[in-house]
Amino acid sequence: MKLRPDTLAMTAVLAMLTALGPLSTDFYLPSLPEIVRVMETDVAGAQATLSSFLFGYAGGQIIWGPLSDRLGRKPILLAGLALFLLATLACALAPSIGALTAARAIQAFGASGPIVLGRAMVRDLYEGPRAGREMARMGMIMGLVPAVAPVLGGVLQDAFGWRSTFVASLVFALGLAATIILVMPETLRARTPGALSIPAIFRGFGVLLQNRAFRVYVGLTALAYAGLFAFISGSSFVLIGVYGLSPVQYGLSFGFGVLGFIGGTILAQRLVGSRGLDGVIAIGVACLAGGGLAMLICVAAGIGGPFGVVVPMALYACGVGLTVPQSQASAMMPFPDRAGAASSFNGLCQMLLSACVGLLVGHALKGTALPLPLVMSALGVAALVLFKASTAIRAGKV
């Protein structure tokens, strides 16, 4: 029996598709200090396994969407999952930090397929605010993954070591692949005509970029997510290395931040019908700027210890839950025939900026927490400024 579009089960499966990549990172966040020790590397070396994942993620974003616009969502989705499974096994068996970093890039290339196609399938199935509501519902369900994964990852790390976290990702992906094969229908209604080639892919991106509002919404998505990734990539070194939390305590702290994200997605579902997509984004960017600045003040003034990082992060994460799903839906709305390409380009920009931010944070953290809130506050304020400055563009007046 195939899943129907109007069911929570369909939303849950789409959410799991978009959660696959974050899950494969969140599981092993508590293991990063251990990887530094076992692999005889430094913080920047361990953090490179995160940034290589985002570069691989960005590379995959280029091809999966346009491929699916021509060949269908389901077969391309299964191809991405197969590549993810093989690369995850390579991560679990990696003998060195270089091998792990390379395997993570390939793992990400495969994982980018499900997240691109999950967003495109929302555009296949829903319109307007309904699409924004579904993206927010997906975000709410997906938010449970990073709330649970670092805690489970901390338990696995303490009990079996860092390789066990990749085994857990492998098991999750196998279950997801079986679900897709058995119950997921094909959602693509009209295929993009013409042969697929690299020049054709970039010409398609050029069509998208002619829309100024598309550029704004892609920018908002990238800025919001980059701040979140700054926390993902740097939080274990700050909370464990600077503030002395244990891996399990870190997982619980990370989960508290994720509650903010879940709260943001729930709020978005309630508000999008009355306030519209832009109305929800307006609240979201205010939370991004407020959370980032609050964290900067707390860390700079020495207020609250780890709570001065975790509590403001919950506000920032709430802003991500309000901003990102609505911005992604808004970016894809004008392009029903290019939803895969629009999702791909959105993800490409999102991951490239996040990878660069992750590298910056990794090199800046030298026994102090301050670089993390500096970067996050800058990104949050930039998102707020972009939103305020683009009012006429988003209204279609220029």
Side-chain angles (χ1 to χ4, degrees):
M1 186 178 74
K2 301 299 183 183
L3 294 174
R4 298 196 314 274
D6 58 344
T7 62
L8 183 60
M10 171 65 85
T11 304
V13 172
L14 292 174
M16 290 302 100
L17 291 176
T18 59
L20 182 62
L23 175 73
S24 63
T25 293
D26 295 339
F27 260 145
Y28 91 121
L29 287 178
S31 298
L32 285 175
E34 176 70 5
I35 289 172
V36 169
R37 185 186 67 81
V38 172
M39 295 289 191
E40 298 181 345
T41 185
D42 56 12
V43 170
Q47 200 281 332
T49 66
L50 296 173
S51 289
S52 72
F53 186 89
L54 285 194
F55 283 120
Y57 222 53
Q61 305 273 345
I62 296 174
I63 67 164
W64 296 120
L67 271 175
S68 73
D69 284 342
R70 290 166 171 80
L71 302 178
R73 310 294 187 213
K74 189 170 180 177
I76 304 304
L77 179 57
L78 291 172
L81 283 169
L83 182 59
F84 176 86
L85 287 166
L86 291 173
T88 302
L89 180 60
C91 288
L93 301 175
S96 66
I97 193 67
L100 178 60
T101 301
R104 284 281 289 165
I106 299 170
Q107 183 192 40
F109 196 91
S112 64
I115 192 169
V116 166
L117 300 185
R119 293 193 301 254
M121 291 164 85
V122 170
R123 181 62 187 89
D124 292 341
L125 297 169
Y126 310 107
E127 296 283 345
R130 176 66 190 277
R133 185 177 296 112
E134 289 302 315
M135 293 288 284
R137 289 177 67 188
M138 288 167 58
M140 178 186 68
I141 296 170
M142 184 183 74
L144 296 174
V145 173
V148 174
V151 179
L152 179 57
V155 173
L156 291 171
Q157 164 63 36
D158 285 345
F160 304 108
W162 67 269
R163 297 182 192 274
S164 63
T165 62
F166 288 104
V167 175
S169 294
L170 189 69
V171 171
F172 178 85
L174 282 170
L176 187 56
T179 301
I180 297 303
I181 292 170
L182 294 174
V183 301
M184 177 62 73
E186 175 59 62
T187 63
L188 183 63
R189 289 173 286 185
R191 302 191 178 193
T192 300
L196 182 68
S197 65
I198 295 299
I201 290 174
F202 283 95
R203 283 196 299 271
F205 289 160
V207 171
L208 300 175
L209 288 170
Q210 292 175 14
N211 186 306
R212 298 181 69 186
F214 175 80
R215 301 200 298 265
V216 169
Y217 290 120
V218 168
L220 290 170
T221 302
L223 289 167
Y225 187 82
L228 177 63
F229 187 75
F231 183 78
I232 290 171
S233 64
S235 59
S236 63
F237 299 109
V238 168
L239 294 174
I240 296 175
V242 176
Y243 292 110
L245 301 187
S246 70
V248 173
Q249 288 173 328
Y250 165 75
L252 293 171
S253 299
F254 192 93
F256 179 78
V258 171
L259 290 178
F261 175 79
I262 295 173
T265 61
I266 293 173
L267 188 60
Q269 293 174 61
R270 293 180 178 277
L271 294 178
V272 69
S274 59
R275 291 179 174 264
L277 296 169
D278 276 2
V280 175
I281 295 171
I283 301 172
V285 293
C287 291
L288 295 175
L293 291 171
M295 187 188 299
L296 178 60
I297 292 169
C298 288
V299 171
I303 300 171
F307 296 102
V309 175
V310 174
V311 175
M313 181 58 210
L315 178 59
Y316 189 98
C318 179
V320 175
L322 287 161
T323 302
V324 170
Q326 312 309 312
S327 296
Q328 290 174 336
S330 297
M332 290 188 293
M333 278 305 105
F335 307 105
D337 58 333
R338 296 179 182 271
S343 179
S344 280
F345 189 82
N346 198 337
L348 173 65
C349 296
Q350 179 180 328
M351 295 305 156
L352 283 177
L353 180 59
S354 296
C356 293
V357 166
L359 287 173
L360 174 63
V361 170
H363 284 281
L365 288 173
K366 304 294 183 183
T368 174
L370 193 58
L372 179 61
L374 278 171
V375 170
M376 292 184 60
S377 59
L379 291 165
V381 170
L384 178 61
V385 170
L386 174 60
F387 183 79
K388 294 295 186 182
S390 63
T391 301
I393 293 173
R394 290 180 284 103
K397 296 178 181 178
V398 295

